[in-house]
Amino acid sequence: MSKRAGNNRLREAAAGYGFMSPAILILGCFLLLPILYAIFLSVHKVNLLGEVSYKFTGTANFERMIDDQRLWIALRNTARYALIVVPSQTILALVLASILNMKIRFRNFFRVAYYLPTVTSSAVLVLIFMWIYNTNGLLNFLLEKVGLPTYNWLGDPSVALAGIMIMNIWSTAPLFMVIYLAALQDIPQSQYEAAEIDGAGVWQKFWRITVPQLKPVTFYVVVMGIIGTFQLFDQSYIFSAGSGGPNNATLTMVLLIYQYAFKNLDMGYASALAFMLAVVIMLITVIQRFFFREEKLN
């Protein structure tokens, strides 16, 4: 390679990095540096009262997790929430997308109507559902009309988390519905026509063609769903006024981290919890990727 060609490549590389530098600086300042600082805090005891000081504690913050009963409650609530919400919203999104992909009347109207909960503020949705869940609210009124038992949705520990689950399934499924709908429209119609010639019914075409073709999209939907459920905070915070009640029934991992960080001012332990949560999410994503290893996103 000539010296002139080498200089040209060097100038092109410098120009490319020059154009990328604003994005690199922003990501470095607001993403990479906070992550490194959180890791630094996780191995220190931080004093925020008076003069800020840091005392190196090694793995003490991580060892403390073993005896933290509220942590195990938060993990159990978060895991239970994810195990119910993620499959439910994924299945509901796929069913809605399949229906709206058919040639039905007012299809565009229903697409817009179903998507509306997604564009509504999360805080507003929580306030609306708190009114619905009120002891004398709409949900208990409807349950009473059809002869079903009513509940104290906001005060009963056995159903408080279920109330948040119902709200999130209803509000999150439309977003994934749009993703599924776009993927459904990319499946060649020739595959369905060939299946019909072979005598396949609607159910067989769905299981043999639609579901396998949507595996990469399903992987994305499930991963994003799990990440979203493990990051549940605002709904639980508003429902319980920041306490995670009643009786820790709505206490989630992120809410617990918030309480330690901004109520107890225990930034070191809160950072250790955040680091642990990030590791759990990454491990779950790797496990999911293993099950979807045969599929590659285009």
Side-chain angles (χ1 to χ4, degrees), residues 56-71:
F56 181 76
T57 57
T59 59
N61 286 326
F62 296 94
E63 295 171 0
R64 177 180 166 187
M65 296 179 189
I66 300 174
D67 298 323
D68 190 345
Q69 295 301 317
R70 297 191 78 229
L71 169 60

Side-chain angles (χ1 to χ4, degrees), residues 4 84 89 111 130-131 136 174 227 267 271 284 291:
R4 183 176 180 180
I84 295 176
Q89 69 185 13
R111 287 178 178 178
M130 288 180 69
W131 170 75
N136 299 320
I227 292 174
M267 285 292 179
S271 298
I284 293 174
F291 286 107

Side-chain angles (χ1 to χ4, degrees), residues 11 40-41 46 68 82 109 124 139 157 159 169 179 199 221 226 277 297:
R11 282 196 296 268
F40 169 80
L41 291 178
V46 185
D68 190 345
F109 167 77
V124 173
L139 183 55
V159 296
I169 292 170
I179 298 172
V221 167
I226 287 181
L277 178 61
L297 292 173

